Structures are given as structure tokens and as C-alpha cells.
Amino acid sequence: MTALRWELKDVTEKPIDGIKAEPVEDNLFLWNCSVKAAPDSPYKNGTFHFKLEIPQNFPFKAPAVTFTTKIYHPGINEEGNICVAILRDQWKPSITLSTVLAVIQEKVNNPSPEDPFMPDIAAQLKDDKASFLATAKEWTKK
């Protein structure tokens, strides 16, 4: 619990531009978060909400991230799960929640066809970028 209080203090005192993160009521193990898309992102003007569920054995186990806002993205599936290596096989106890939030922001703003959760969207991004960008823009408006 002390580690989570330190993490919350870190996120609160050194906020990341474009990221909001706060515990749900007094539950330090569940946070409501959002990422505002960068102006040069395919998701420009969009704000995407997600939950950060922190396991009881944090920092020895990675938090779970679930997007609650739909996003047309090769690295985020229909259930809102995000494909990020540091939340899977590259997790280390030294990774902070601020780092997790920064990596999520980077992933949202810079979709890549590499290591996709959504192979069809990744293929579209790779083979028909204009169509991908139009669909991403349309979903962001919704």
C-alpha cells in the first residue's frame, strides 16, 4: 500500500501532459485514467478513457489496463485491452505507474502495425494508411 501511495504522489506531483489518472474513490488499486490524443496523432481532438487495475502484489505484477472508450487502433482490441510489452513479458518491479501511463500515451498517439492485437487494422495501417486514418478519425468523432 505504501508503494501505491508513493506512485499516486508521483503521478499527482509530476503530471504527464495529456494524461489524467486518479484512484476511484479511496481504492488505490483501481484508477480512472484518460489520455488526450496529441495534435499530430490520428486521434487528434480525442480523449480516451481507461481503467488501471493494480494487483495486490504490485510492483511484482503489472497492472491491467482496459480502455473504456472505443478506439480504432491496431494495438487495442474490442475489449479495450492494450498490447504493450511492459505490461506483459517485459514487466519489472522497477517500472513506475508514471512510466506505464507514458507508454500508454505513446502507444495511443503512435499506432504501429508491429505486434498488433488487431491484425486487420494493422494490415490496413500498413497497406492503406489513408483508409486507416479516415476510419480512426471517424471513430474518434464518435
Side-chain angles (χ1 to χ4, degrees), residues 2 7 21 42 47 69 72 77 79 100 110-111 114 125 132 140:
T2 304
E7 293 279 354
T47 298
T69 305
Y72 190 76
N77 68 13
E79 290 81 37
V100 169
N110 298 292
E114 307 306 315
L125 173 57
F132 165 80
T140 302

Side-chain angles (χ1 to χ4, degrees), residues 83-126:
C83 186
V84 177
I86 68 162
L87 295 176
R88 299 184 330 236
D89 55 342
Q90 292 182 14
W91 178 257
K92 294 179 181 113
S94 60
I95 297 172
T96 66
L97 292 181
S98 288
T99 300
V100 169
L101 294 169
V103 168
I104 290 168
Q105 182 180 46
E106 173 68 21
K107 182 80 166 189
V108 166
N109 283 320
N110 298 292
S112 167
E114 307 306 315
D115 193 25
F117 245 11
M118 304 296 293
D120 292 349
I121 297 173
Q124 182 186 35
L125 173 57
K126 194 173 184 177

Side-chain angles (χ1 to χ4, degrees), residues 14-128:
K14 294 182 255 169
I16 300 166
D17 193 35
I19 292 273
K20 287 188 181 173
E22 59 187 15
V24 175
E25 295 169 9
D26 289 332
N27 183 355
L28 286 178
F29 294 96
L30 181 62
W31 294 21
N32 282 327
C33 306
S34 65
V35 58
K36 183 164 180 27
D40 60 347
S41 156
Y43 310 101
K44 179 171 115 178
N45 299 324
T47 298
F48 302 92
H49 299 272
F50 59 96
K51 297 258 186 233
L52 193 65
E53 293 178 64
I54 303 164
Q56 295 287 330
N57 59 348
F58 178 85
F60 301 103
K61 187 171 184 226
V65 174
T66 308
F67 275 78
T68 54
T69 305
K70 295 286 183 198
I71 181 170
Y72 190 76
H73 195 289
I76 302 170
N77 68 13
E78 295 99 344
E79 290 81 37
N81 299 311
I82 187 168
C83 186
V84 177
I86 68 162
L87 295 176
R88 299 184 330 236
D89 55 342
Q90 292 182 14
W91 178 257
K92 294 179 181 113
S94 60
I95 297 172
T96 66
L97 292 181
S98 288
T99 300
V100 169
L101 294 169
V103 168
I104 290 168
Q105 182 180 46
E106 173 68 21
K107 182 80 166 189
V108 166
N109 283 320
N110 298 292
S112 167
E114 307 306 315
D115 193 25
F117 245 11
M118 304 296 293
D120 292 349
I121 297 173
Q124 182 186 35
L125 173 57
K126 194 173 184 177
D127 301 333
D128 187 0

